[in-house]
């Protein structure tokens, strides 16, 4: 099938007008050590904004002739783009927001390679070094605003949700916007787009012209969750673990909408962190919410958390069903407590330095068949460490569902095997089966073949 494509050349606006010869050479290098592949794949995902697709492999195959290269001129650079999805253009001109996102990709790919990964000052094998790297990436992307009182609400939830659930996310976003709070999401469609759309209306009614709609992503997931056009600040972290850390360091509270395996991964991540003894007294508002039709979904999530992590984990969140205004009010009250706590401790409002994140939550996890098979999913460990390993299991399911590399691994070697204590595996099997039954694994209209096998 042929898809309409366009060729163009575009110049940056602002700070990326000049690149060094070494930076350009890295981006042109198609070998294993170069940046070209990651830059090309992320750029294609950005240009595919608005097209219903959640399969990284399918996207790369659909636009296999797509190419992007840098033209270095005496007065600056240009991007030479071949066979880009026509949906990124209006009357032959690239949409402004997509243009901005494309150069955000270029900025972050270069910065992470040159200033983080190739810089011995950052010890990415240590907890402090990893957090410092996340801070520098966010600061370089202009995500950190030091003179703003805490008001950033992180919204998590699935890209594949029902229309009723999507409309509900907009209502919650609207109520958040009316209360002058900003939104940060994974930047994709569904529950990542809805709160931003709602907040834009709330901000407009309050005559707030400086509303922030932050998108936080990483190269492996960007094809499945291409940045939606409302995002006005985009940052690409190098891996899923640093992306998750960016969310919880940036945000002052989290709202979780219905979703699938990716949302379960996010829930386990934040609960695992909040269960660490060092975070016992740290305020961090966490609310699960959805319309009446999602009540059973959150009952199952709540049951899974109770069965695996215990009652202490259940005490770290609220569940509010079908009441957008109550969600916004509770979040506003929770963020007020965050502000008072940080003011008392002389901690920054713009980056949560005090939050203790165990190394198990920072270590990049490669979802290979061996790594998935050898996950420690037994009760003979502290609850926050069990949460870390459960998070990895769901991360592997996400990779097998939507990431190019994960899909190809499943095609070659068959489903991932997930093993552990019988009661934990029973709870996990029931939760994943419910995601499949309610079409939360893939976009509607696509037949889902499980990429995993639970072994009790």
């Amino acid at each position: 099938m042929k898809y309409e494509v366009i060729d163009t050349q575009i110049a940056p606006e602002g700070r990326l007008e000049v690149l060094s010869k070494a930076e350009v050479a890295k981006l042109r290098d198609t070998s294993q050590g170069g940046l070209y592949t990651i830059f090309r794949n992320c750029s294609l995902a950005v240009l595919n904004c608005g097209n219903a697709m959640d399969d990284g492999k399918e996207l790369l195959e659909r636009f296999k002739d797509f190419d992007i290269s840098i033209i270095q001129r005496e007065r600056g650079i240009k991007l030479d783009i071949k066979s880009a999805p026509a949906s990124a253009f209006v009357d032959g001109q690239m949409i402004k927001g997509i243009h901005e996102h494309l150069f955000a990709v270029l900025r972050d790919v270069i910065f992470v390679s040159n200033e983080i990964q190739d810089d011995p000052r950052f010890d990415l094998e240590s907890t402090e070094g990893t957090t410092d790297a996340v801070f520098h990436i966010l600061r370089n992307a202009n995500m950190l605003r030091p003179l703003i009182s805490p008001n950033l609400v992180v919204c998590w939830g699935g890209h594949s949700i029902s229309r009723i659930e999507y409309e509900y996310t907009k209502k919650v976003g609207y109520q958040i916007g009316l209360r002058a709070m900003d939104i940060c999401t994974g930047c994709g469609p569904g529950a990542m787009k809805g709160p931003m759309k709602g907040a834009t209306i709330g901000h407009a009614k309050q005559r707030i012209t400086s509303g922030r709609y932050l998108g936080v992503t990483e190269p492996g997931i960007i094809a499945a969750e291409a940045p939606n056009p409302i995002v006005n600040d985009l940052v690409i972290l190098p891996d899923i673990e640093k992306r998750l850390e960016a969310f919880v360091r940036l945000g002052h509270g989290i709202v979780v909408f219905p979703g699938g395996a990716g949302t379960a991964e996010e829930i386990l991540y934040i609960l695992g962190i909040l269960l660490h003894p060092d975070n016992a007294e740290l305020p961090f508002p966490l609310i699960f919410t959805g319309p009446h039709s999602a009540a059973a979904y959150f009952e199952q999530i709540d049951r899974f958390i109770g069965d695996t992590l215990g009652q202490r984990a259940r005490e770290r969140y609220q569940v509010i069903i079908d009441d957008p205004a109550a969600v916004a009010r509770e979040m506003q009250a929770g963020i007020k407590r965050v502000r008072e706590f940080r003011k008392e401790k002389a901690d920054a409002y713009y980056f949560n330095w005090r939050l203790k994140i165990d190394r198990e939550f920072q270590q990049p996890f490669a979802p290979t068949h061996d790594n998935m098979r050898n996950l420690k999913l037994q009760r003979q460990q502290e609850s926050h460490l069990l949460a870390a390993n459960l998070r990895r299991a769901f991360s592997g399911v996400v990779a097998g569902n939507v990431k190019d590399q994960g899909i190809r691994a499943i095609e070659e070697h068959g489903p991932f095997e997930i093993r552990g204590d019988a009661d934990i595996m029973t709870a996990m099997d029931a939760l994943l089966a419910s995601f499949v039954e309610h079409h939360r694994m893939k976009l509607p209209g696509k037949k889902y073949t499980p990429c995993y096998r639970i072994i009790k």
Side-chain angles (χ1 to χ4, degrees), residues 78-154:
K78 270 192 171 185
L79 293 181
D80 186 29
I81 301 171
K82 305 290 187 187
S83 300
S87 58
F89 300 82
V90 175
D91 298 332
Q93 296 293 314
M94 186 176 291
I95 295 169
K96 182 81 170 179
I98 293 176
H99 181 283
E100 290 177 0
H101 292 168
L102 206 53
F103 281 97
V105 170
L106 181 62
R107 175 201 67 209
D108 294 337
V109 166
I110 289 174
F111 182 79
V112 168
S113 175
N114 287 359
E115 306 296 331
I116 303 295
Q117 293 170 340
D118 293 347
D119 191 333
R121 292 178 301 167
F122 292 100
D123 178 11
L124 298 180
E125 297 302 313
S126 73
T127 300
E128 294 78 11
T130 299
T131 296
D132 203 28
V134 170
F135 172 84
H136 278 78
I137 293 167
L138 294 175
R139 186 176 69 178
N140 184 65
N142 200 32
M143 291 279 190
L144 306 178
R145 303 287 174 86
L147 301 178
I148 298 176
S149 189
N151 75 336
L152 188 61
V153 181
V154 172

Side-chain angles (χ1 to χ4, degrees), residues 201-215:
I201 304 303
H203 287 159
K205 286 190 174 183
Q206 295 286 25
R207 300 300 186 262
I208 297 170
T209 58
S210 57
R212 302 181 70 205
Y213 315 105
L214 276 56

Side-chain angles (χ1 to χ4, degrees), residues 91-384:
D91 298 332
Q93 296 293 314
M94 186 176 291
I95 295 169
K96 182 81 170 179
I98 293 176
H99 181 283
E100 290 177 0
H101 292 168
L102 206 53
F103 281 97
V105 170
L106 181 62
R107 175 201 67 209
D108 294 337
V109 166
I110 289 174
F111 182 79
V112 168
S113 175
N114 287 359
E115 306 296 331
I116 303 295
Q117 293 170 340
D118 293 347
D119 191 333
R121 292 178 301 167
F122 292 100
D123 178 11
L124 298 180
E125 297 302 313
S126 73
T127 300
E128 294 78 11
T130 299
T131 296
D132 203 28
V134 170
F135 172 84
H136 278 78
I137 293 167
L138 294 175
R139 186 176 69 178
N140 184 65
N142 200 32
M143 291 279 190
L144 306 178
R145 303 287 174 86
L147 301 178
I148 298 176
S149 189
N151 75 336
L152 188 61
V153 181
V154 172
C155 293
W156 283 341
H159 70 288
S160 178
I161 57 175
S162 70
R163 189 72 200 179
I164 293 172
E165 289 170 352
Y166 176 68
E167 292 297 329
Y168 182 80
T169 69
K170 289 201 294 185
K171 292 175 183 177
V172 172
Y174 172 68
Q175 293 292 335
I176 288 172
L178 283 177
R179 289 163 177 80
M181 292 181 281
D182 292 333
I183 301 285
C184 175
T185 78
C187 82
M192 291 163 277
K193 182 180 179 182
M196 290 185 171
K197 289 191 78 170
T200 58
I201 304 303
H203 287 159
K205 286 190 174 183
Q206 295 286 25
R207 300 300 186 262
I208 297 170
T209 58
S210 57
R212 302 181 70 205
Y213 315 105
L214 276 56
V216 180
T217 188
E218 57 97 10
I221 205 73
I222 192 171
E225 297 174 358
N228 72 70
I230 302 168
V231 172
N232 59 12
D233 274 310
L234 174 69
V235 64
I236 299 170
L237 282 297
D239 52 59
I240 191 69
E241 287 76 17
K242 292 180 185 63
R243 180 200 194 198
L244 289 168
E245 180 163 352
F247 277 127
V248 299
R249 298 284 186 193
L250 273 174
H252 303 111
I254 296 176
V255 173
V256 181
F257 296 104
T263 304
E265 176 184 5
E266 292 164 339
I267 289 171
L268 288 163
Y269 179 84
I270 185 59
L271 286 178
I273 289 171
L274 295 178
L275 285 171
H276 193 287
D278 290 0
N279 296 324
E281 304 303 319
L282 189 135
F284 201 109
L286 176 60
I287 299 172
F288 299 171
T289 190
H292 276 304
S293 59
Y297 167 84
F298 283 113
E299 286 172 9
Q300 189 145 20
I301 289 284
D302 184 57
R303 189 180 310 118
F304 174 78
I305 292 167
D307 289 345
T308 55
L309 302 180
Q311 180 59 28
R312 197 158 61 90
R314 298 178 70 202
E315 293 169 358
R316 291 304 310 235
Y317 58 85
Q318 292 175 263
V319 180
I320 299 175
I321 298 299
D322 206 31
D323 194 339
V327 172
R329 284 194 298 268
E330 287 295 322
M331 184 53 62
Q332 189 174 44
I335 289 178
K336 184 180 179 182
R337 291 191 292 273
V338 169
R339 183 183 186 280
E340 291 167 353
F341 178 84
R342 295 200 194 178
K343 189 174 182 179
E344 178 189 339
K345 304 293 184 183
D347 197 13
Y349 290 158
Y350 55 84
F351 192 82
N352 195 346
W353 289 107
R354 279 189 169 271
L355 192 67
K356 171 67 177 179
I357 299 182
D358 194 279
R359 184 64 190 154
E360 290 295 311
F361 290 92
Q362 293 180 322
Q363 192 72 39
F365 175 69
T368 65
H369 282 72
D370 281 344
N371 287 344
M372 290 290 284
R373 191 179 300 113
N374 294 322
L375 283 172
K376 296 177 181 178
L377 301 177
Q378 290 83 27
R379 292 198 178 277
Q380 288 76 26
Q381 56 189 316
E382 293 181 74
S383 58
H384 70 279

Side-chain angles (χ1 to χ4, degrees), residues 387-421:
N389 285 309
L390 284 168
R391 197 282 301 176
R392 290 170 174 144
F394 282 97
S395 187
V397 173
V398 173
N401 283 348
V402 301
K403 295 187 180 182
D404 174 55
Q405 192 172 356
I407 293 169
R408 293 181 191 277
I410 299 299
E411 288 177 348
E412 185 175 353
H413 302 294
F416 291 132
E417 292 181 356
I418 305 175
R419 305 166 182 263
D421 285 353

